[in-house]
Amino acid sequence: MTREAVLNSAVLMGLFIFPLWAWVVDEPFLITLATKTVILALAGVGLNIALGMGGLVSLGHAAFFGIGGYAMGVLASHAQSYDPILQSPILIEGTRSMPIIWLVAILTSGLAALAIGALSLRTSGVYFIMITLAFGQMLFFFAISWPAYGGEDGLSIYVRSEFPGLNTLDPIQFYAIAYVILAGVLLFAFRLRQSPFGLALNAARQSASRVMTVGMSPYRLQLVAFTLSGMITGLAGALFADLNRFVSPTMFSWQTSGEIMVFIIIGGVGRLFGPVIGAVLFVILEHVLGGISDYWLIYLGVLLLFIVLFARGGVIGTLVGRQASHD
Amino acid sequence: MSLILFIEQVLNGLQLGVMLFLMAAGLTLVFGVMGLINLAHGSLFMIGAFAAAAVAGSTGSFLLALMAALAAAAAAGALIEVLIIRRLYQRDHLDQVLATFALILIFSEGTRWVFGSFPLYLNIPTYLSGPVTLPGGIQYPLYRLTLIIIGLVIALGLHLLITRTRLGIQIRAGENDREMIAALGVDISKLYTIVFAIGAALAGLAGALIGAIQSVQVGMGEPVLILAFVVIVIGGIGSVKGALIGSILVGLTDTLGGLLLPALFRQFLDVSSAASIGSALASMLIYILMAAVLVVRPTGLFGAKA
């Protein structure tokens, strides 16, 4: 096992043991904090497929996080009010069932990622960053000015959605759902990286012209990667909405996009577990520094600046001591 | 809808457009010359507004406040260029995005720490307040008219600076070939600091001027920054002319869309749903414009071919 694999297993074990410990000593708040960490990590794993594997610096992933969140909010609010979403031509009712909500969240955010990606990938570099940021902002303003689902105030959901056979209101059971999903998506990302698609995507990042020479389209590879990436971030958004039982336009804000990207950088770009370690550190910092000072984001800013300027591999790069294989 | 309302909205769009230009011009110069994406440009806008509000609060002079905004933003710009930004020119865009995102966090929270979370207010001076009567009997706020004039004068000044002065020649040469002009004896790092400080000063001025219409608060810079990005995507990176035309296009689209779309939907929907659908669509209109430009010309209206 490489040092990175040891570190990854330790993180996965830690995320398994810590909530169990919190459950034994009866600290539900810590379990909720761990759930938040795992869900944010999931959003980061999604972005990492575009950013780490595809080299696509998307500053608009809050769009997919928000769409996932609103998929949950809209379906659950209609279930809450027994008011069908659509009556004609076919009857579509709201739902409280998590698997259905997840499916809708994945499909809608995937469609949005396909559309945004198809337009944004016509460009590259600085343009791509600005355009993804702009599309994220577009959905933010749309969510604010669309009055049907709470507008600026957001949407409160009174009960958490249901999962067959589990009591989702019990923190440890909801944590288990989020943990299993994260582990599954990490496995998916790991397999994707080694699949023919992942290898071709990797090649497209390093040299688009060589990929074209062997008859593959970098545009298509990157569009698929961007769409997959948006779907996973959308799923994370749905879980995040269920965690808080509240959705608001904040999920769409550009700061959310920035924060998801920050997880990846703190952990290490192009590393499978980069976003997981980044999200863990982010939540710990938020909790510890936030308790000390109201202005804890200054410290986060300084830390981030330090990592970008001096410790470019992030935490994993520093601990494992080797550049990520793709550079 | 009356013609007078329409002309008023056109002027409002123009006013938004020229203020966006002050932001976008600095951004596009920094892109063009240094190849840097600077998210912290919105923070410089905020710094200008806060400096102006603080100076206006203690001296009561609006002109001094504008001077303070220019000086504070230029100084902050030069400082971060020398300390941090300079190390990023050779890095990839991801590093630039993250380092400047970190700067946003530091500037925003630092400002909140110094000035508190409550918004400050910057008053329009008495000699610029009140309406003026334009030809055709249109009443329009003098201050907004002044903003349009200031913006257009600065656009002209910037054009002359770039096409007619020695500094402008160096800036254009720096866009084309930085090694070559360094070899010709131009101190390239000093040039970069100057260009960055000019961009920062324009952002700070825009912040102060806008601050007198809106409230001065933390986070005021980023929405404007993102609009300026849309402007640059439409106009083309590195082109000051593109930035001006893009700004005015975005300004007009935003204000006229908010006016015309709800009116358009009233033709075939009831009033309340026309207002909600119209305003929701109007808020997305400039991004739709951006998408349309992207489909036709991926490098923007005046951008160099990729």
Side-chain angles (χ1 to χ4, degrees), chain B residues 199-211:
Chain B
L202 290 177
L205 179 66
L209 292 172
I210 293 285

Side-chain angles (χ1 to χ4, degrees), chain A residues 122 127 254 265 308 312, chain B residues 91 95 98 222 237 295 299:
Chain A
R122 292 171 60 87
Y127 276 107
W254 67 272
I265 306 313
V308 174
R312 298 180 65 188
Chain B
R91 297 289 191 86
D95 284 355
L98 287 157
E222 281 68 37
I237 291 181
V295 170
T299 53

Side-chain angles (χ1 to χ4, degrees), chain A residues 69-83 85 93-97 101 149 155-162 238 241-242 245-247:
Chain A
Y70 270 85
M72 180 271 163
V74 169
L75 287 172
S77 73
H78 280 281
Q80 189 166 285
S81 62
Y82 299 101
D83 172 27
I85 297 174
E93 285 186 273
T95 177
R96 272 193 238 284
S97 157
I101 288 175
Y149 296 104
L155 203 57
S156 282
I157 307 297
Y158 302 115
V159 286
R160 191 168 280 159
S161 312
E162 293 150 359
D242 241 330
R245 278 168 280 162
F246 175 67
V247 283

Side-chain angles (χ1 to χ4, degrees), chain B residues 211-290:
Chain B
I213 306 181
Q214 301 170 353
S215 57
V216 175
Q217 56 188 335
V218 173
M220 66 188 288
E222 281 68 37
V224 185
L225 174 83
I226 296 171
L227 280 184
F229 279 160
V230 174
V231 164
I232 289 172
V233 170
I234 291 175
I237 291 181
S239 161
V240 175
K241 187 169 121 192
L244 181 63
I245 292 177
S247 304
I248 291 176
L249 217 54
V250 167
L252 287 177
T253 309
D254 197 46
T255 38
L256 293 183
L259 178 73
L260 296 179
L261 272 181
L264 180 72
F265 281 104
R266 262 198 299 278
Q267 306 295 319
F268 46 90
L269 285 172
D270 63 282
V271 174
S272 71
S273 53
S276 64
I277 294 176
S279 67
L281 261 184
S283 70
M284 299 169 75
L285 205 58
I286 54 168
Y287 306 99
I288 296 170
L289 175 73
M290 177 186 81

Side-chain angles (χ1 to χ4, degrees), chain A residues 14 23 31 45 54-55 70 86 88 116 128 177 266 287:
Chain A
W23 183 57
I31 302 177
V45 173
Y70 270 85
L86 200 66
S88 64
I116 292 178
F128 184 82
I177 295 175
I266 295 180
H287 191 61

Side-chain angles (χ1 to χ4, degrees), chain A residues 141-214:
Chain A
F141 282 123
F142 182 75
I144 281 187
S145 56
W146 188 253
Y149 296 104
E152 210 164 344
D153 300 330
L155 203 57
S156 282
I157 307 297
Y158 302 115
V159 286
R160 191 168 280 159
S161 312
E162 293 150 359
F163 192 86
L166 290 177
N167 173 14
T168 53
L169 279 171
D170 178 13
I172 194 77
Q173 297 194 30
F174 186 59
Y175 178 81
I177 295 175
Y179 183 81
V180 168
I181 291 181
L182 177 68
V185 170
L186 279 169
L187 182 66
F188 170 75
F190 176 70
R191 298 291 297 270
L192 187 72
R193 194 176 285 234
Q194 293 173 333
S195 68
F197 168 78
L199 295 174
L201 181 65
N202 200 5
R205 189 191 65 237
Q206 291 176 3
S207 169
S209 51
R210 289 191 188 171
V211 169
M212 275 192 274
T213 319
V214 295

